[in-house]
Amino acid sequence: MTVILLCVIAVILLVLGFEMFLVMGIPTLLAWHFLFSSIPPVALAQKLLGGVNVSTLLAIPFFIFAADIMARGTIAKRLTDLVKTNIGHVRGGIGHTTVVSCMGFGAICGSAPATVAALGRLLHPELLKARYSETFSLALIASSAECALLIPPSITLIIYGWLTGTSIADLFAGGFAVGVALGVAFMIYVQIVTWRTGAGLFPRATRGERMLALRDGLVALGMPFIILGGIYGGIFTATEAAAVAVAYALLIEMVVYRSIGFKVLLEIAEGSAITVAVIFILLATGSMLSFLITLAQVPAFFTQLFAAWNVDWIVFLLIVNVVLLVAGMFIDPNSILLVLIPTFYPVATSLGIDPVHFGLVVCLNICIGMITPPFGLDLFVASSTLRRPVELIIRGIWPFIAVNVLVLLLITYVPQISTGILSIMR
């Protein structure tokens, strides 16, 4: 009864608009007071601070800083120009340019909101010029940015790896496969819309324009090759790769392109520090919550419950998908991971589900939550970046949600898509 009451308190705090660290923190402290009062306060403090004192998590501030540098600089434009000059002249080319550019920028920054902010202003006018509708154009930009949460480096996958102890390198490999699958699905839908509406195309770029775009774009694309090549080549860890990403972003934007000065860099650093502080407060609160969830034997309860119901991995993953899809409508991605993964992950492993496969199912659900009304974060980022009503974006987002759900079902019940690349690498 006490546990149910604490859950109700958390829901009330969420509905009243409290910050997520309070939504998680207040019920956690109440649970400690009423259920585990024998635990000394210093133990909670140790969990609160020790939970984020992990070298793996150092990748998060570095990747966020690198993403903010590139979003403020010219890498996004050069990357878009590279794709547009090569495929912009084919039917549906600018729509495909949007998807591929978001995938490419996601492989550089690992952040969906940063991808929307960096590429939205560049691609939205181009889509309208090609006679795509306003609603379709806005929804395509918001949806394509999801690939940034899957294609490495993905901050979401780093947090999942930290929570579960799963190899970040393995998650990155699986995330690349799933991210490409989602991008291809979006491109198929773009082509269908193009054939149905007769949207226009752009003049073929000259050889000189293509060579110039290639020269500039290859420098931007160097980062994912350096990061992934370094990780899988055994040169550095994922955490060290994040530091390399910052160094590379600074080199390209401040020395090669000279698009950012020292004053602007300080402004970027300030914004990145605020973002990192918010995430780490959530992670610290979540580590304390996970500690009490484990003490309360909640994972063991669900494991025994599903065993009593004779639930197999197929039904379990269906339940997980439904729960995560609903949670994604109301809760931010990091909070979903911190609240639900400590409960679901032990059950998944007891059913023999591969940790990488489960992580990609979770991550794809979170991607869908980023564009699902009423509180999908990417919807509001696109709205503020492009200065369009969020209702206009929501009107066009439903077909993309349907595409996402189809891909989710494919990823859920064909585990080889997530894990197949690992067997090739090993």
Side-chain angles (χ1 to χ4, degrees):
M1 185 65 187
T2 305
V3 174
I4 295 175
L5 181 60
L6 292 173
C7 291
V8 170
I9 292 173
V11 172
I12 292 174
L13 293 173
L14 181 65
V15 172
L16 292 177
F18 280 70
E19 294 292 338
M20 275 308 304
F21 82 94
L22 292 175
V23 173
M24 292 190 296
I26 291 175
T28 299
L29 292 175
L30 290 174
W32 165 68
H33 180 73
F34 289 107
L35 300 177
F36 304 104
S37 57
S38 60
I39 298 176
V42 68
L44 287 186
Q46 287 173 343
K47 287 295 177 182
L48 191 70
L49 298 177
V52 294
N53 188 22
V54 182
S55 60
T56 302
L57 295 181
L58 281 174
I60 295 175
F62 282 122
F63 277 132
I64 288 175
F65 190 33
D68 288 345
I69 291 171
M70 290 180 290
R72 191 75 172 263
T74 62
I75 282 181
K77 182 179 185 308
R78 295 171 190 271
L79 185 63
T80 303
D81 288 343
L82 171 62
V83 181
K84 186 172 71 173
T85 55
N86 283 279
I87 65 173
H89 60 279
V90 303
R91 181 69 64 181
I94 192 60
H96 299 318
T97 296
T98 301
V99 178
V100 176
S101 296
C102 288
M103 292 170 67
F105 194 74
I108 294 172
C109 75
S111 168
T115 302
V116 173
L119 297 180
R121 291 192 185 95
L122 297 174
L123 293 167
H124 182 244
E126 303 288 339
L127 288 165
L128 295 181
K129 277 185 202 174
R131 300 198 309 277
Y132 287 108
S133 69
E134 178 89 77
T135 54
F136 174 83
S137 302
L138 293 169
L140 177 61
I141 292 169
S143 301
S144 298
E146 291 177 61
C147 296
L149 291 183
L150 294 163
I151 296 176
S154 164
I155 294 170
T156 304
L157 289 178
I158 291 172
I159 295 175
Y160 172 86
W162 163 67
L163 284 170
T164 62
T166 308
S167 165
I168 303 296
D170 288 353
L171 288 168
F172 278 4
F176 179 81
V178 175
V180 170
L182 182 63
V184 170
F186 284 149
M187 293 175 74
I188 292 172
Y189 177 64
V190 166
Q191 197 63 45
I192 292 172
V193 171
T194 302
W195 287 335
R196 193 175 68 233
T197 62
L201 43 79
F202 283 82
R204 182 184 294 271
T206 65
R207 186 174 182 274
E209 289 172 334
R210 288 198 300 273
M211 293 303 295
L212 179 62
L214 179 63
R215 185 197 68 185
D216 291 341
L218 282 179
V219 176
L221 284 175
M223 180 176 289
F225 285 106
I226 291 173
I227 292 173
L228 298 181
I231 292 173
Y232 297 115
I235 300 173
F236 40 68
T237 66
T239 304
E240 293 165 344
V244 172
V246 172
Y248 189 84
L250 290 173
L251 175 66
I252 298 304
E253 295 290 7
M254 297 191 72
V255 179
V256 178
Y257 294 154
R258 297 185 179 179
S259 57
I260 292 176
F262 187 72
K263 182 179 179 181
V264 174
L265 181 65
L266 291 178
E267 294 174 0
I268 295 171
E270 181 182 3
S272 299
I274 293 172
T275 302
V276 169
V278 171
I279 292 175
F280 270 71
I281 289 172
L282 280 175
L283 294 179
T285 308
S287 65
M288 185 171 61
L289 173 63
S290 300
F291 172 62
L292 294 183
I293 286 175
T294 304
L295 284 180
Q297 297 185 328
V298 173
F301 168 77
F302 279 103
T303 301
Q304 294 167 4
L305 181 65
F306 286 131
W309 288 352
N310 199 25
V311 171
D312 59 9
W313 72 275
I314 295 175
V315 177
F316 170 71
L317 286 180
L318 178 62
I319 295 171
V320 169
N321 283 335
V322 172
V323 172
L324 290 177
L325 285 173
V326 173
M329 297 179 186
F330 304 99
I331 307 175
D332 69 274
N334 296 326
S335 300
I336 292 174
L337 289 173
L338 294 169
V339 172
L340 297 179
I341 295 308
T343 299
F344 283 144
Y345 179 75
V347 181
T349 54
S350 71
L351 293 173
I353 299 172
D354 187 281
V356 173
H357 175 217
F358 185 66
L360 270 301
V361 170
V362 169
C363 191
L364 185 50
N365 272 288
I366 287 175
C367 287
I368 299 173
M370 296 286 283
I371 62 168
T372 305
F375 299 119
L377 178 60
D378 282 354
L379 300 177
F380 293 95
V381 174
S383 175
S384 62
T385 300
L386 301 173
R387 298 180 181 178
R388 296 292 189 277
V390 71
E391 295 83 3
L392 193 63
I393 305 174
I394 292 174
R395 201 180 304 160
I397 206 69
W398 300 109
F400 290 96
I401 293 176
V403 171
N404 270 284
V405 171
L406 290 175
V407 175
L408 174 63
L409 291 174
L410 183 66
I411 299 303
T412 299
Y413 296 115
V414 186
Q416 292 78 9
I417 298 175
S418 304
T419 60
I421 194 170
L422 296 177
S423 60
I424 296 174
M425 293 170 54
R426 288 168 179 167

